[in-house]
Amino acid sequence: MSRRDPKFVVQKHAATSLHYDFRLEIGGVMASWAVPKGPSTDPADKRLAMRVEDHSMSWNDFEGVIPEGTYGAGTVIVWDRGSFRNEGEGSLEEGLAEGHLRVWLEGEKLRGGWSLRRMKGQQKESWLLMKRRDEAADPSADPVTERPESVVSGKTIEELAT
Ligand code: MN
């Protein structure tokens, strides 16, 4: 029996403040976190990831300009995308509820093992996104600055906005 691997997408979003929307397909929707600094391939970095509302899978391909006066106004590019596998002990739904997800990403920029962990004692859902230590970890790389372009159009946020 074979099953389609779930999808992930990272959309770079120049809204009121720049952030990266990190989304994992869980239970037919895209569970989403806003990561202000974006993902780091250095396992020593813990990147703040604020859980935001689930998005429809139909949003995964969106890049363009969300008009002024609309929720999320600003420019969006598809910064990375691919599929992932659950490496947690339970289901993805259980991991989401328990505040600990372990996934293996197969994207165009991001690969390997990643963890998302909810911080305790926070009012809002504050999580940390971390690269795990494996062959895809690279403290010397910085994909956010080295590869700013869309994996769909090849354009940067600045190019798309003009
Ligand atoms: Mn956003």
Side-chain angles (χ1 to χ4, degrees):
M1 194 164 66
S2 73
R3 267 185 14 175
R4 181 180 75 78
D5 283 332
K7 302 295 184 198
F8 86 94
V9 65
V10 183
Q11 282 160 312
K12 184 177 180 181
H13 186 185
T16 310
S17 55
L18 181 74
H19 59 273
Y20 294 74
D21 288 302
F22 184 91
R23 311 189 197 278
L24 298 173
E25 180 188 349
I26 300 178
V29 295
M30 301 302 287
S32 299
W33 292 261
V35 184
K37 291 185 176 177
S40 170
T41 51
D42 183 350
D45 283 343
K46 295 175 168 60
R47 292 286 162 91
L48 179 66
M50 302 300 295
R51 179 94 187 270
V52 294
E53 66 279 7
D54 295 343
H55 271 56
S56 160
M57 291 181 65
S58 64
W59 186 253
N60 288 1
D61 294 325
F62 179 81
E63 66 175 38
V65 179
I66 303 172
E68 287 295 325
T70 311
Y71 177 74
T75 308
V76 176
I77 59 169
V78 179
W79 184 79
D80 197 16
R81 64 180 176 184
S83 59
F84 74 97
R85 297 194 308 270
N86 179 20
E87 295 199 314
E89 288 179 7
S91 69
L92 289 165
E93 287 85 349
E94 286 166 346
L96 198 55
E98 288 163 9
H100 186 205
L101 289 163
R102 288 168 62 93
V103 294
W104 182 276
L105 302 181
E106 290 288 350
E108 297 184 37
K109 297 174 184 172
L110 303 181
R111 289 186 44 253
W114 294 74
S115 293
L116 271 160
R117 192 179 282 277
R118 188 168 56 218
M119 291 192 278
K120 293 185 170 63
Q122 303 273 331
Q123 272 194 328
K124 284 188 168 181
E125 278 216 49
S126 306
W127 295 56
L128 293 172
L129 174 66
M130 290 162 284
K131 182 72 196 73
R132 297 210 307 277
R133 295 181 192 281
D134 57 30
E135 71 275 9
D138 187 352
S140 69
D142 185 7
V144 163
T145 54
E146 289 166 3
R147 302 196 60 191
E149 78 288 353
S150 161
V151 294
V152 173
S153 62
K155 292 183 175 176
T156 63
I157 282 265
E158 294 75 18
E159 288 166 344
L160 204 82
T162 53

